Amino acid sequence: MTTETSALMAPDPSAPFERGTITRRALRSDDVLIEIAYVGICHSDIHNARDEWAPGTYPMVPGHEIAGIVTEVGSAVTNFKTGDRVGVGCFVDSCGECDACVSGEEQFCNRKTMTYNSKDAQGNITYGGYSTHIVVREHYVLRIPEALSLESAAPLLCAGITTYSPLRHYNTGPESRVAVIGMGGLGHMAVQYAHAMGAHVTVISQTRSKEADGRRFGADDYRAMSEPGTLQALRGSFDLIINTVSANIDTTALLHTLRLDGTLVFVGLPVDPQAFQVSALTSRRRSIAGSNIGGIRETQEMLDFSAEHDIAAQVEVITADEVTEAFDRVVDSDVRYRFVIDAATI
Ligand code: NAP
Ligand code: ZN
């Protein structure tokens, strides 16, 4: 039986959100039906809904930071049962056969299905978590540890894993000097994880307004771009930079803050192409890199690590009626640090 689901949808790239109804597929044998409790607003939802990246399909139902409760399982489901606390992130299917899938890095599968604004293997458009229910193959469902509240766990499904994964990939530990650029949804998670992994952490924000929070999240140092000479004073400081900024930034100046063999990792996805001076790489054998969310296995590891280290997102819970305004507030960096929609209001 299909499930009729209330959803919050963007009718086109510039119109406010509207309530509507979507149909979730009848459960297949390996599917799980989830009643959504909370869903985070990621800056990617804004890029997508406003059609800032590839052309989107409308009406669009965003949402890939989903936390809820299992209400039904298919006949062959073995890992979940009714009542379990679960999460869903940025993708809901992949081919299962390619090198990326076999190695547990499904985020790099060419045939994966994104949670929304994507087509599934049957050619159906996918709709995301700004809704009351979702049906997902069990392999793509995560278990939320009891120690985490559902509202503060929801953002971990994207903001958490997107920052945890590159920190792990570049072997962050007590010897590492890490800088986090931009302390928004992703950035405030990056600070907590890098600190928990033992690194010396510097936040580089636009202003001093988030300094007390940054230090509470575990930053050892905090700098503001608005103050002249900030990056100049940090030349040669870092092994790893996690750049979470969604807008254009002076990449050359950032590269110069890396030590010998340091790496600047882009996780923020500015719309424009970015330029940089090549000598900023060659002069200290520096690297520039990118990272894309994380695989299912690593996402579960991140959730368990978060519970173990008492790490969670700091959230502002809002109703469905506040989402249109919340998008503008995220763009203005006016959120501490993730809006999470109470799905009961959708
Ligand atoms: P967010 O909450 O808006 O945080 C971005 C932060 O960047 C802001 O809080 C702000 O921090 C800083 N910033 C914003 N505009 C800036 C500007 N013009 N100049 C300098 N700094 C600026 O967004 P988010 O949800 O964390 O997402 C950040 C980016 O990551 C987006 O582009 C999103 O699409 C992308 N993303 C990528 C992946 C991936 O897998 N690679 C996954 C999720 C999201 P301060 O106030 O501290 O300056
Ligand atoms: Zn996201």
Side-chain angles (χ1 to χ4, degrees):
M1 204 176 59
T2 56
T3 307
E4 294 293 300
T5 304
S6 298
L8 207 55
M9 43 186 74
D12 66 58
S14 54
F17 276 94
E18 290 175 358
R19 282 188 178 77
T21 304
I22 54 174
T23 303
R24 298 298 189 187
R25 67 172 179 256
L27 258 64
R28 299 179 192 137
S29 59
D30 61 348
D31 277 342
V32 170
L33 174 64
I34 300 163
E35 182 175 354
I36 298 171
Y38 297 97
V39 56
I41 296 181
C42 176
H43 206 116
S44 300
D45 297 346
I46 301 172
H47 292 306
N48 272 311
R50 295 184 172 172
D51 227 8
E52 294 173 347
W53 291 336
T57 304
Y58 297 87
M60 187 187 297
V61 179
H64 59 206
E65 293 186 338
I66 298 167
I69 304 288
V70 173
T71 53
E72 204 181 323
V73 297
S75 57
V77 168
T78 53
N79 291 325
F80 298 100
K81 59 179 189 325
T82 300
D84 283 353
R85 307 162 86 243
V86 293
V88 178
C90 296
F91 54 92
V92 287
D93 204 1
S94 66
C95 79
E97 296 166 355
C98 68
D99 289 349
C101 285
V102 169
S103 63
E105 294 199 302
E106 302 91 342
Q107 74 273 31
F108 301 121
C109 170
N110 288 331
R111 291 191 280 151
K112 68 183 171 301
T113 303
M114 304 308 286
T115 305
Y116 66 89
N117 192 30
S118 179
K119 272 192 187 155
D120 67 17
Q122 290 70 40
N124 302 307
I125 302 290
T126 56
Y127 297 106
Y130 294 10
S131 56
T132 56
H133 296 80
I134 191 166
V135 173
V136 182
R137 285 181 73 186
E138 72 166 324
H139 177 75
Y140 302 88
V141 177
L142 287 306
R143 192 171 288 286
I144 296 181
E146 288 295 332
L148 300 174
S149 73
L150 290 180
E151 64 265 39
S152 61
L156 305 186
L157 276 303
C158 176
I161 185 58
T162 300
T163 50
Y164 180 88
S165 183
L167 288 166
R168 278 282 186 239
H169 184 77
Y170 291 96
N171 300 316
T172 302
E175 303 301 311
S176 314
R177 296 184 76 88
V178 174
V180 176
I181 319 300
M183 205 174 78
L186 268 57
H188 92 294
M189 295 312 308
V191 176
Q192 295 183 70
Y193 290 130
H195 174 71
M197 292 172 194
H200 180 279
V201 188
T202 301
V203 170
I204 304 178
S205 178
Q206 293 170 98
T207 68
R208 290 267 166 201
S209 65
K210 300 174 179 175
E211 179 163 6
D213 290 339
R215 292 190 184 274
R216 179 164 52 82
F217 294 137
D220 302 282
D221 194 2
Y222 184 105
R223 307 289 176 109
M225 293 272 207
S226 56
E227 295 166 4
T230 292
L231 293 184
Q232 185 72 22
L234 291 168
R235 282 170 83 99
S237 296
F238 307 116
D239 301 297
L240 184 67
I241 300 174
I242 305 289
N243 176 22
T244 75
V245 175
S246 48
N248 299 338
I249 194 160
D250 184 347
T251 304
T252 301
L254 269 189
L255 284 169
H256 280 295
T257 67
L258 289 170
R259 288 170 159 178
L260 178 67
D261 288 327
T263 304
L264 165 58
V265 181
F266 277 79
V267 288
L269 283 160
V271 177
D272 300 327
Q274 303 293 297
F276 61 92
Q277 198 74 48
V278 173
S279 60
L281 293 180
T282 54
S283 60
R284 294 286 185 281
R285 201 165 51 201
R286 298 172 175 124
S287 302
I288 196 162
S291 189
N292 182 32
I293 39 179
I296 293 297
R297 190 169 54 222
E298 193 173 47
T299 304
Q300 189 63 60
E301 178 189 308
M302 171 277 306
L303 287 166
D304 296 342
F305 181 93
S306 302
E308 198 179 314
H309 293 267
D310 204 15
I311 290 173
Q314 182 176 322
V315 301
E316 295 188 46
V317 177
I318 59 169
T319 66
D321 293 326
E322 296 172 290
V323 173
T324 299
E325 185 199 348
F327 269 37
D328 291 330
R329 288 185 52 195
V330 171
V331 173
D332 293 340
S333 301
D334 178 22
V335 51
R336 301 290 185 273
Y337 282 86
R338 201 51 140 192
F339 286 121
V340 168
I341 308 165
D342 177 353
T345 66
I346 292 175

